[in-house]
Amino acid sequence: MNSDCLFCRIVAGELPSDEVHRESGIIAFKDIHPVAETHILVVPEKHIEDLRQLQDEDAQLWLRLAQVANSVAADLGHDQGYRFFVSVGPGGGQTVPHLHIHVLAGTMRRLPA
Ligand code: 5GP
Ligand code: ZN
């Protein structure tokens, strides 16, 4: 837990979020500024700054994050599919330096170039 990190604080329950799923090691909550009808962030409890810091030991965690993204989209009724993306570092548009997967579905705005 990094107490300077927004998502660590949400994971710890210090800051509120609109949670849609929680299990050991992972939470999923609604993005505060949605760019689609459904916009969920799937977040590991472990503070991993960005995808480039992912280690071999995180293999199971990464698989499970993807599975949670799938099940969140399915639970919200998006059986035709959804968009899965990860911003990697400031050059990739990442604004919160704690790894997270965006799940977008339904009517969505175009992603910024
Ligand atoms: P990134 O820009 O790093 O790919 O994604 C960060 C996302 O976190 C943005 O889509 C932003 O709207 C969202 N976000 C930023 N602060 C908060 C917050 O306090 N609560 C929630 N639920 N989402 C947040
Ligand atoms: Zn963090």
Side-chain angles (χ1 to χ4, degrees):
M1 153 102 191
N2 173 346
S3 53
D4 296 328
C5 170
L6 178 66
F7 286 176
C8 280
R9 297 186 68 196
I10 288 178
V11 164
E14 284 181 21
L15 294 173
S17 73
D18 203 341
E19 237 174 81
V20 296
H21 179 84
R22 185 183 274 269
E23 64 181 49
S24 173
I26 298 177
I27 71 168
F29 52 86
K30 293 184 182 174
D31 195 292
I32 204 165
H33 297 303
V35 297
E37 198 177 325
T38 291
H39 188 170
I40 305 294
L41 302 173
V42 181
V43 181
E45 284 180 10
K46 180 178 177 185
H47 180 84
I48 298 170
E49 198 161 304
D50 72 44
L51 195 66
R52 297 169 296 180
Q53 272 74 56
L54 207 59
Q55 304 292 318
D56 289 351
E57 68 192 36
D58 301 318
Q60 193 59 38
L61 175 61
W62 177 244
L63 172 66
R64 190 61 201 148
L65 287 165
Q67 290 174 328
V68 168
N70 287 336
S71 64
V72 160
D75 289 349
L76 294 171
H78 300 292
D79 56 351
Q80 296 301 303
Y82 69 97
R83 180 169 290 161
F84 175 113
F85 81 86
V86 179
S87 309
V88 185
Q94 187 176 2
T95 57
V96 179
H98 179 131
L99 177 65
H100 50 281
I101 295 167
H102 293 257
V103 171
L104 301 187
T107 311
M108 62 183 95
R109 288 206 246 131
R110 284 184 59 128
L111 290 177

